[in-house]
Amino acid sequence: MSNTGPARPPIAIDGPAVSGKSSVGRSLASHIGYRFLDTGLMYRAATWNAIKNDVDVNDLVAVAQAAERMDFAVSNGETGGNLIVVNGEDVTKHLHAPAVDDSVSSVASVGRVREIMVAEQRKLASGGAIVMVGRDIGTVVIPEAPLKIYLTATVQTRANRRHRDFIAEGTEIEFEDVIRSMAQRDLIDSSRENSPLRPADDARIVDTDDLTFDEVVNHLVELAKDVL
Ligand code: DC
């Protein structure tokens, strides 16, 4: 099958927390010479900004107002990952803190926050040649993308990966707390009213439980060849 749409069309990757979307998406982008955008970082930046400004993350109106006032920019760092600057400060290193993990699903469920982020994401996708990673990329942000991938893995596998990352970076946290937070996030992300996490009807489902990182990337590179 070959693509009849625009040259270098955007590619959508969705999936639950820690399904490997970001690292796999970044590697895919680098293999095919695309830009990369991890949209989860944008919702994390809105969450970090709310926490920093003492906004109650359960107060939907206050969260929306804080997101409206937030001046933010996304760019690509030297290693292909994203840098997020909020109100002039590079906040990237704060965005995976446990406090952000615990509140980001609530913030991401606010309709006005999603409108702001989706508008920005569509602008960034309009130039094509971008791998965009998130929860609603194939269903809402760029449903026209000719390749939509949905990465999955069990909650146990994903919590193991996340716990390993926390330990590697020196954050002490119990595995039980990681798996609880992840299951909670899965539930909120997939049951929320606004753009719930789900595969697009024409998404290619890739189960990563029994695949190595390289195997997943190679598989996606092969899928991408059909649309490049
Ligand atoms: O992928 P992640 O764990 O960094 O995402 C953080 C949160 O943001 C997660 O709870 C779901 C939400 N999110 C979203 O609702 N839509 C996106 N496109 C990306 C992330």
PDB file of all heavy atoms in Angstrom, residues 14 17-18 21-22 38-41 43-44 96 104-105 108 114 121 133-137 141 185 189 192 195, ligand 1:
ATOM      1  N   ASP A  14      -0.490   6.642  19.845  1.00  0.00           N
ATOM      2  CA  ASP A  14      -1.224   6.754  21.103  1.00  0.00           C
ATOM      3  C   ASP A  14      -1.022   5.494  21.924  1.00  0.00           C
ATOM      4  O   ASP A  14      -0.575   4.454  21.413  1.00  0.00           O
ATOM      5  CB  ASP A  14      -2.728   6.944  20.821  1.00  0.00           C
ATOM      6  CG  ASP A  14      -3.013   8.305  20.199  1.00  0.00           C
ATOM      7  OD1 ASP A  14      -2.727   9.314  20.867  1.00  0.00           O
ATOM      8  OD2 ASP A  14      -3.510   8.348  19.052  1.00  0.00           O
ATOM      9  N   ALA A  17      -0.204   5.177  29.659  1.00  0.00           N
ATOM     10  CA  ALA A  17       1.023   5.649  30.304  1.00  0.00           C
ATOM     11  C   ALA A  17       2.115   4.583  30.274  1.00  0.00           C
ATOM     12  O   ALA A  17       1.856   3.397  30.508  1.00  0.00           O
ATOM     13  CB  ALA A  17       0.713   6.006  31.761  1.00  0.00           C
ATOM     14  N   VAL A  18       3.330   4.999  29.941  1.00  0.00           N
ATOM     15  CA  VAL A  18       4.514   4.134  29.950  1.00  0.00           C
ATOM     16  C   VAL A  18       4.367   2.905  29.058  1.00  0.00           C
ATOM     17  O   VAL A  18       4.869   1.829  29.368  1.00  0.00           O
ATOM     18  CB  VAL A  18       4.937   3.734  31.387  1.00  0.00           C
ATOM     19  CG1 VAL A  18       6.400   3.338  31.440  1.00  0.00           C
ATOM     20  CG2 VAL A  18       4.716   4.867  32.374  1.00  0.00           C
ATOM     21  N   LYS A  21       5.614   4.823  24.320  1.00  0.00           N
ATOM     22  CA  LYS A  21       5.330   5.746  23.207  1.00  0.00           C
ATOM     23  C   LYS A  21       6.428   6.774  22.976  1.00  0.00           C
ATOM     24  O   LYS A  21       6.822   7.026  21.849  1.00  0.00           O
ATOM     25  CB  LYS A  21       4.050   6.562  23.470  1.00  0.00           C
ATOM     26  CG  LYS A  21       2.813   5.787  23.720  1.00  0.00           C
ATOM     27  CD  LYS A  21       1.632   6.709  23.980  1.00  0.00           C
ATOM     28  CE  LYS A  21       1.811   7.687  25.119  1.00  0.00           C
ATOM     29  NZ  LYS A  21       1.654   7.196  26.469  1.00  0.00           N
ATOM     30  N   SER A  22       6.892   7.390  24.085  1.00  0.00           N
ATOM     31  CA  SER A  22       7.806   8.516  23.910  1.00  0.00           C
ATOM     32  C   SER A  22       9.168   8.064  23.392  1.00  0.00           C
ATOM     33  O   SER A  22       9.677   8.616  22.407  1.00  0.00           O
ATOM     34  CB  SER A  22       7.991   9.275  25.220  1.00  0.00           C
ATOM     35  OG  SER A  22       6.749   9.718  25.649  1.00  0.00           O
ATOM     36  N   ASP A  38       6.102  14.978  22.062  1.00  0.00           N
ATOM     37  CA  ASP A  38       5.456  14.217  23.121  1.00  0.00           C
ATOM     38  C   ASP A  38       4.403  15.130  23.760  1.00  0.00           C
ATOM     39  O   ASP A  38       4.718  15.973  24.597  1.00  0.00           O
ATOM     40  CB  ASP A  38       6.511  13.803  24.151  1.00  0.00           C
ATOM     41  CG  ASP A  38       5.906  13.064  25.329  1.00  0.00           C
ATOM     42  OD1 ASP A  38       4.678  12.892  25.369  1.00  0.00           O
ATOM     43  OD2 ASP A  38       6.679  12.654  26.213  1.00  0.00           O
ATOM     44  N   THR A  39       3.137  14.948  23.362  1.00  0.00           N
ATOM     45  CA  THR A  39       2.088  15.881  23.813  1.00  0.00           C
ATOM     46  C   THR A  39       1.786  15.742  25.304  1.00  0.00           C
ATOM     47  O   THR A  39       1.247  16.666  25.908  1.00  0.00           O
ATOM     48  CB  THR A  39       0.783  15.682  23.013  1.00  0.00           C
ATOM     49  OG1 THR A  39       0.327  14.340  23.219  1.00  0.00           O
ATOM     50  CG2 THR A  39       0.997  15.927  21.541  1.00  0.00           C
ATOM     51  N   GLY A  40       2.142  14.590  25.901  1.00  0.00           N
ATOM     52  CA  GLY A  40       1.939  14.422  27.347  1.00  0.00           C
ATOM     53  C   GLY A  40       2.686  15.499  28.121  1.00  0.00           C
ATOM     54  O   GLY A  40       2.223  15.961  29.171  1.00  0.00           O
ATOM     55  N   LEU A  41       3.837  15.925  27.592  1.00  0.00           N
ATOM     56  CA  LEU A  41       4.619  16.959  28.281  1.00  0.00           C
ATOM     57  C   LEU A  41       3.849  18.269  28.367  1.00  0.00           C
ATOM     58  O   LEU A  41       4.030  19.052  29.301  1.00  0.00           O
ATOM     59  CB  LEU A  41       5.951  17.201  27.558  1.00  0.00           C
ATOM     60  CG  LEU A  41       6.969  16.062  27.617  1.00  0.00           C
ATOM     61  CD1 LEU A  41       8.213  16.441  26.825  1.00  0.00           C
ATOM     62  CD2 LEU A  41       7.327  15.732  29.064  1.00  0.00           C
ATOM     63  N   TYR A  43       0.531  18.580  28.740  1.00  0.00           N
ATOM     64  CA  TYR A  43      -0.408  18.463  29.859  1.00  0.00           C
ATOM     65  C   TYR A  43       0.351  18.463  31.186  1.00  0.00           C
ATOM     66  O   TYR A  43      -0.132  18.982  32.197  1.00  0.00           O
ATOM     67  CB  TYR A  43      -1.261  17.198  29.702  1.00  0.00           C
ATOM     68  CG  TYR A  43      -2.177  17.312  28.507  1.00  0.00           C
ATOM     69  CD1 TYR A  43      -1.813  16.761  27.267  1.00  0.00           C
ATOM     70  CD2 TYR A  43      -3.368  18.030  28.582  1.00  0.00           C
ATOM     71  CE1 TYR A  43      -2.616  16.914  26.162  1.00  0.00           C
ATOM     72  CE2 TYR A  43      -4.186  18.187  27.474  1.00  0.00           C
ATOM     73  CZ  TYR A  43      -3.805  17.624  26.264  1.00  0.00           C
ATOM     74  OH  TYR A  43      -4.608  17.791  25.160  1.00  0.00           O
ATOM     75  N   ARG A  44       1.545  17.892  31.163  1.00  0.00           N
ATOM     76  CA  ARG A  44       2.378  17.907  32.378  1.00  0.00           C
ATOM     77  C   ARG A  44       2.803  19.341  32.707  1.00  0.00           C
ATOM     78  O   ARG A  44       2.869  19.727  33.876  1.00  0.00           O
ATOM     79  CB  ARG A  44       3.609  17.006  32.184  1.00  0.00           C
ATOM     80  CG  ARG A  44       3.258  15.536  32.211  1.00  0.00           C
ATOM     81  CD  ARG A  44       4.430  14.638  31.863  1.00  0.00           C
ATOM     82  NE  ARG A  44       4.045  13.243  31.968  1.00  0.00           N
ATOM     83  CZ  ARG A  44       4.053  12.545  33.098  1.00  0.00           C
ATOM     84  NH1 ARG A  44       4.496  13.098  34.216  1.00  0.00           N
ATOM     85  NH2 ARG A  44       3.650  11.297  33.116  1.00  0.00           N
ATOM     86  N   HIS A  96       8.230  14.944  35.213  1.00  0.00           N
ATOM     87  CA  HIS A  96       7.892  13.564  35.581  1.00  0.00           C
ATOM     88  C   HIS A  96       7.954  13.342  37.086  1.00  0.00           C
ATOM     89  O   HIS A  96       8.025  12.198  37.540  1.00  0.00           O
ATOM     90  CB  HIS A  96       8.774  12.563  34.824  1.00  0.00           C
ATOM     91  CG  HIS A  96       8.361  12.422  33.392  1.00  0.00           C
ATOM     92  ND1 HIS A  96       8.915  13.171  32.374  1.00  0.00           N
ATOM     93  CD2 HIS A  96       7.397  11.676  32.810  1.00  0.00           C
ATOM     94  CE1 HIS A  96       8.320  12.873  31.234  1.00  0.00           C
ATOM     95  NE2 HIS A  96       7.395  11.966  31.469  1.00  0.00           N
ATOM     96  N   VAL A 104      -1.782  14.930  36.877  1.00  0.00           N
ATOM     97  CA  VAL A 104      -1.860  15.274  35.456  1.00  0.00           C
ATOM     98  C   VAL A 104      -3.152  14.772  34.800  1.00  0.00           C
ATOM     99  O   VAL A 104      -3.714  15.435  33.922  1.00  0.00           O
ATOM    100  CB  VAL A 104      -0.592  14.812  34.698  1.00  0.00           C
ATOM    101  CG1 VAL A 104      -0.471  13.307  34.643  1.00  0.00           C
ATOM    102  CG2 VAL A 104      -0.561  15.401  33.306  1.00  0.00           C
ATOM    103  N   SER A 105      -3.670  13.625  35.233  1.00  0.00           N
ATOM    104  CA  SER A 105      -4.893  13.120  34.602  1.00  0.00           C
ATOM    105  C   SER A 105      -6.075  14.048  34.862  1.00  0.00           C
ATOM    106  O   SER A 105      -6.921  14.245  33.980  1.00  0.00           O
ATOM    107  CB  SER A 105      -5.234  11.716  35.096  1.00  0.00           C
ATOM    108  OG  SER A 105      -4.339  10.800  34.547  1.00  0.00           O
ATOM    109  N   ALA A 108      -5.605  17.042  32.624  1.00  0.00           N
ATOM    110  CA  ALA A 108      -5.819  16.695  31.212  1.00  0.00           C
ATOM    111  C   ALA A 108      -7.277  16.395  30.914  1.00  0.00           C
ATOM    112  O   ALA A 108      -7.666  16.272  29.751  1.00  0.00           O
ATOM    113  CB  ALA A 108      -4.939  15.500  30.826  1.00  0.00           C
ATOM    114  N   ARG A 114      -7.655  21.052  27.209  1.00  0.00           N
ATOM    115  CA  ARG A 114      -7.473  20.255  25.990  1.00  0.00           C
ATOM    116  C   ARG A 114      -7.591  21.117  24.734  1.00  0.00           C
ATOM    117  O   ARG A 114      -6.845  20.945  23.785  1.00  0.00           O
ATOM    118  CB  ARG A 114      -8.467  19.080  25.930  1.00  0.00           C
ATOM    119  CG  ARG A 114      -8.392  18.136  27.124  1.00  0.00           C
ATOM    120  CD  ARG A 114      -8.984  16.770  26.797  1.00  0.00           C
ATOM    121  NE  ARG A 114      -8.119  16.062  25.864  1.00  0.00           N
ATOM    122  CZ  ARG A 114      -7.017  15.387  26.220  1.00  0.00           C
ATOM    123  NH1 ARG A 114      -6.662  15.299  27.474  1.00  0.00           N
ATOM    124  NH2 ARG A 114      -6.281  14.798  25.307  1.00  0.00           N
ATOM    125  N   GLN A 121      -1.087  21.741  19.135  1.00  0.00           N
ATOM    126  CA  GLN A 121      -0.600  20.511  18.499  1.00  0.00           C
ATOM    127  C   GLN A 121      -0.942  20.488  17.005  1.00  0.00           C
ATOM    128  O   GLN A 121      -0.130  20.064  16.178  1.00  0.00           O
ATOM    129  CB  GLN A 121      -1.212  19.290  19.211  1.00  0.00           C
ATOM    130  CG  GLN A 121      -0.655  19.094  20.618  1.00  0.00           C
ATOM    131  CD  GLN A 121      -1.587  18.343  21.546  1.00  0.00           C
ATOM    132  OE1 GLN A 121      -2.557  17.718  21.112  1.00  0.00           O
ATOM    133  NE2 GLN A 121      -1.295  18.384  22.839  1.00  0.00           N
ATOM    134  N   VAL A 133       3.011  12.025  19.723  1.00  0.00           N
ATOM    135  CA  VAL A 133       2.706  10.954  20.659  1.00  0.00           C
ATOM    136  C   VAL A 133       1.744  11.454  21.743  1.00  0.00           C
ATOM    137  O   VAL A 133       1.943  12.550  22.259  1.00  0.00           O
ATOM    138  CB  VAL A 133       4.043  10.513  21.320  1.00  0.00           C
ATOM    139  CG1 VAL A 133       3.808   9.597  22.493  1.00  0.00           C
ATOM    140  CG2 VAL A 133       4.950   9.860  20.300  1.00  0.00           C
ATOM    141  N   GLY A 134       0.711  10.656  22.083  1.00  0.00           N
ATOM    142  CA  GLY A 134      -0.207  11.082  23.141  1.00  0.00           C
ATOM    143  C   GLY A 134      -1.286  10.059  23.415  1.00  0.00           C
ATOM    144  O   GLY A 134      -1.031   8.850  23.449  1.00  0.00           O
ATOM    145  N   ARG A 135      -2.512  10.564  23.653  1.00  0.00           N
ATOM    146  CA  ARG A 135      -3.649   9.691  23.954  1.00  0.00           C
ATOM    147  C   ARG A 135      -4.755   9.828  22.913  1.00  0.00           C
ATOM    148  O   ARG A 135      -5.559   8.920  22.727  1.00  0.00           O
ATOM    149  CB  ARG A 135      -4.276  10.050  25.316  1.00  0.00           C
ATOM    150  CG  ARG A 135      -3.359   9.953  26.501  1.00  0.00           C
ATOM    151  CD  ARG A 135      -3.045   8.504  26.799  1.00  0.00           C
ATOM    152  NE  ARG A 135      -2.408   8.347  28.105  1.00  0.00           N
ATOM    153  CZ  ARG A 135      -1.188   8.785  28.403  1.00  0.00           C
ATOM    154  NH1 ARG A 135      -0.454   9.383  27.492  1.00  0.00           N
ATOM    155  NH2 ARG A 135      -0.686   8.602  29.608  1.00  0.00           N
ATOM    156  N   ASP A 136      -4.807  11.011  22.293  1.00  0.00           N
ATOM    157  CA  ASP A 136      -5.927  11.334  21.400  1.00  0.00           C
ATOM    158  C   ASP A 136      -5.402  11.823  20.051  1.00  0.00           C
ATOM    159  O   ASP A 136      -6.105  12.527  19.336  1.00  0.00           O
ATOM    160  CB  ASP A 136      -6.792  12.446  22.032  1.00  0.00           C
ATOM    161  CG  ASP A 136      -5.984  13.718  22.282  1.00  0.00           C
ATOM    162  OD1 ASP A 136      -4.734  13.639  22.291  1.00  0.00           O
ATOM    163  OD2 ASP A 136      -6.588  14.785  22.441  1.00  0.00           O
ATOM    164  N   ILE A 137      -4.178  11.478  19.724  1.00  0.00           N
ATOM    165  CA  ILE A 137      -3.575  12.033  18.511  1.00  0.00           C
ATOM    166  C   ILE A 137      -4.284  11.471  17.272  1.00  0.00           C
ATOM    167  O   ILE A 137      -4.666  12.225  16.373  1.00  0.00           O
ATOM    168  CB  ILE A 137      -2.053  11.749  18.450  1.00  0.00           C
ATOM    169  CG1 ILE A 137      -1.367  12.176  19.758  1.00  0.00           C
ATOM    170  CG2 ILE A 137      -1.424  12.448  17.244  1.00  0.00           C
ATOM    171  CD1 ILE A 137      -1.555  13.619  20.135  1.00  0.00           C
ATOM    172  N   VAL A 141      -6.616  14.804  17.401  1.00  0.00           N
ATOM    173  CA  VAL A 141      -5.688  15.868  16.988  1.00  0.00           C
ATOM    174  C   VAL A 141      -5.436  15.813  15.479  1.00  0.00           C
ATOM    175  O   VAL A 141      -5.618  16.813  14.779  1.00  0.00           O
ATOM    176  CB  VAL A 141      -4.358  15.789  17.782  1.00  0.00           C
ATOM    177  CG1 VAL A 141      -3.405  16.909  17.353  1.00  0.00           C
ATOM    178  CG2 VAL A 141      -4.614  15.881  19.283  1.00  0.00           C
ATOM    179  N   ARG A 185      -4.448   6.297  36.756  1.00  0.00           N
ATOM    180  CA  ARG A 185      -4.311   7.144  35.566  1.00  0.00           C
ATOM    181  C   ARG A 185      -4.989   6.489  34.350  1.00  0.00           C
ATOM    182  O   ARG A 185      -5.679   7.150  33.584  1.00  0.00           O
ATOM    183  CB  ARG A 185      -2.822   7.352  35.276  1.00  0.00           C
ATOM    184  CG  ARG A 185      -2.541   8.778  35.129  1.00  0.00           C
ATOM    185  CD  ARG A 185      -1.217   9.357  35.232  1.00  0.00           C
ATOM    186  NE  ARG A 185      -0.042   8.592  35.341  1.00  0.00           N
ATOM    187  CZ  ARG A 185       0.938   8.652  34.451  1.00  0.00           C
ATOM    188  NH1 ARG A 185       0.813   9.369  33.360  1.00  0.00           N
ATOM    189  NH2 ARG A 185       2.040   7.982  34.647  1.00  0.00           N
ATOM    190  N   ASP A 189      -7.858   8.298  32.313  1.00  0.00           N
ATOM    191  CA  ASP A 189      -7.588   8.604  30.903  1.00  0.00           C
ATOM    192  C   ASP A 189      -8.597   7.921  29.970  1.00  0.00           C
ATOM    193  O   ASP A 189      -8.978   8.473  28.942  1.00  0.00           O
ATOM    194  CB  ASP A 189      -6.170   8.154  30.504  1.00  0.00           C
ATOM    195  CG  ASP A 189      -5.082   8.990  31.164  1.00  0.00           C
ATOM    196  OD1 ASP A 189      -5.395  10.084  31.687  1.00  0.00           O
ATOM    197  OD2 ASP A 189      -3.918   8.545  31.163  1.00  0.00           O
ATOM    198  N   ARG A 192     -12.623   9.248  30.847  1.00  0.00           N
ATOM    199  CA  ARG A 192     -13.023  10.656  30.877  1.00  0.00           C
ATOM    200  C   ARG A 192     -13.937  10.992  29.684  1.00  0.00           C
ATOM    201  O   ARG A 192     -13.887  10.321  28.644  1.00  0.00           O
ATOM    202  CB  ARG A 192     -11.782  11.559  30.883  1.00  0.00           C
ATOM    203  CG  ARG A 192     -11.058  11.547  29.571  1.00  0.00           C
ATOM    204  CD  ARG A 192      -9.797  12.391  29.597  1.00  0.00           C
ATOM    205  NE  ARG A 192      -9.126  12.267  28.330  1.00  0.00           N
ATOM    206  CZ  ARG A 192      -7.819  12.316  28.166  1.00  0.00           C
ATOM    207  NH1 ARG A 192      -7.025  12.479  29.193  1.00  0.00           N
ATOM    208  NH2 ARG A 192      -7.301  12.207  26.963  1.00  0.00           N
ATOM    209  N   SER A 195     -12.286  13.345  24.985  1.00  0.00           N
ATOM    210  CA  SER A 195     -11.237  12.624  24.263  1.00  0.00           C
ATOM    211  C   SER A 195     -10.627  11.466  25.055  1.00  0.00           C
ATOM    212  O   SER A 195      -9.443  11.453  25.343  1.00  0.00           O
ATOM    213  CB  SER A 195     -10.100  13.574  23.885  1.00  0.00           C
ATOM    214  OG  SER A 195     -10.587  14.746  23.336  1.00  0.00           O
TER     215      SER A 195
HETATM  216  O1   DC B   1       2.046  10.280  28.261  1.00  0.00           O
HETATM  217  P1   DC B   1       2.133  10.940  29.610  1.00  0.00           P
HETATM  218  O2   DC B   1       2.103   9.951  30.773  1.00  0.00           O
HETATM  219  O3   DC B   1       3.262  11.887  29.733  1.00  0.00           O
HETATM  220  O4   DC B   1       0.782  11.813  29.721  1.00  0.00           O
HETATM  221  C1   DC B   1       0.499  12.574  30.854  1.00  0.00           C
HETATM  222  C2   DC B   1      -1.002  12.741  31.013  1.00  0.00           C
HETATM  223  O5   DC B   1      -1.501  13.597  30.005  1.00  0.00           O
HETATM  224  C3   DC B   1      -1.814  11.471  30.997  1.00  0.00           C
HETATM  225  O6   DC B   1      -2.562  11.354  32.198  1.00  0.00           O
HETATM  226  C4   DC B   1      -2.764  11.609  29.851  1.00  0.00           C
HETATM  227  C5   DC B   1      -2.654  13.022  29.411  1.00  0.00           C
HETATM  228  N1   DC B   1      -2.544  13.149  27.962  1.00  0.00           N
HETATM  229  C6   DC B   1      -3.706  13.379  27.276  1.00  0.00           C
HETATM  230  O7   DC B   1      -4.774  13.398  27.871  1.00  0.00           O
HETATM  231  N2   DC B   1      -3.659  13.580  25.938  1.00  0.00           N
HETATM  232  C7   DC B   1      -2.487  13.537  25.282  1.00  0.00           C
HETATM  233  N3   DC B   1      -2.472  13.745  23.964  1.00  0.00           N
HETATM  234  C8   DC B   1      -1.289  13.274  25.979  1.00  0.00           C
HETATM  235  C9   DC B   1      -1.359  13.066  27.328  1.00  0.00           C
END
